[in-house]
Amino acid sequence: MSDADRVVILGGHGKIALMAAPKFKEAGYSVDSVIRNPDQSADVEAAGAHAVVLDIESADTDKLAELFTGAKAVVFSAGAGGGNPDRTRAVDLEAAKRSIDASVQAGVDRYVIVSYASAGVDLDRVDPDSSFYPYVQAKHGADEHLRASSLNYTILGPGGLTLEPSQGSVLLADDSGDVDGTTPDSDTRVTSRELVADVMTHVIANDAAKRETVNFYDGDTPIAEAVK
């Protein structure tokens, strides 16, 4: 398998990444899953990926570019997990931006980031005093940095993440995370993590949704039909 068939996943021990690795493998890719904690290597290897121990919070752009060189695509699925505004900024914004710059520097054309469905509008509607606001700022900033880059990016915007099995079908939402002009109720605004992994694999394997944002929930339209 050539290096051009390699996908690098940042946040390799996250639930979505661990589900995505075997899907990429099945689609004919080799996977480098980047983790900070070497103790997580066994889980990553069990998912069919090669564990790369690197702290993206401290790794500079050159170090990331070195890892990315020759890869088919870079996937940013890392996150600080909320709670600490400084870490959220460090991982979800600063590390994301460095990984975007590093992808450009390394000549990697394809970049996929996991955002969330209403990231494009929440900056204007979430209370700045809310504990959620640093996350909104970070995801919005990373997405904007990516849109301004030369990369063939796809921004994935799921709803509330669940551990339900993927049905392989989606309900597409608009830039605000709304469907047909209305905000869906909280029961509809959910997305299976495995479905995110399926969509992630689909857009890379089929060169779909280039320079596009795909906001989606669990739905009834097959991925291949909805995301071209």
Side-chain angles (χ1 to χ4, degrees), residues 19-29 47 166 194-195 197-198 201:
M19 290 175 184
K23 295 177 190 292
F24 277 121
K25 199 127 195 248
E26 205 176 302
Y29 297 100
S166 168
E194 190 188 1
L195 181 62
D198 281 335
T201 308

Side-chain angles (χ1 to χ4, degrees), residues 87-209:
R87 276 217 68 222
T88 295
R89 184 175 177 83
V91 177
D92 293 81
L93 178 61
E94 301 303 343
K97 283 166 72 171
R98 282 196 301 277
S99 73
I100 291 162
D101 296 345
S103 298
V104 174
Q105 189 175 314
V108 177
D109 179 55
R110 202 74 177 91
Y111 186 103
V112 175
I113 194 168
V114 179
S115 185
Y116 73 100
S118 53
V121 294
D122 278 353
L123 210 55
D124 300 323
R125 63 184 193 186
V126 171
D127 182 351
D129 293 333
S130 153
S131 60
F132 182 54
Y133 194 71
Y135 180 75
V136 173
Q137 277 185 308
K139 297 309 280 182
H140 183 88
D143 292 353
E144 287 303 293
H145 191 75
L146 182 54
R147 288 190 183 101
S149 77
S150 59
L151 297 171
N152 270 318
Y153 68 81
T154 304
I155 297 170
L156 300 181
L161 294 168
T162 75
L163 288 170
E164 293 300 312
S166 168
Q167 302 303 321
S169 49
V170 300
L171 170 65
L172 290 181
D174 66 16
D175 292 346
S176 308
D178 293 347
V179 177
D180 296 330
T182 47
T183 303
D185 61 34
S186 54
D187 291 343
T188 307
R189 273 199 324 273
V190 294
T191 309
S192 143
R193 284 181 173 85
E194 190 188 1
L195 181 62
V196 179
D198 281 335
V199 174
M200 184 185 281
T201 308
H202 167 78
V203 298
I204 289 175
N206 297 283
D207 257 348

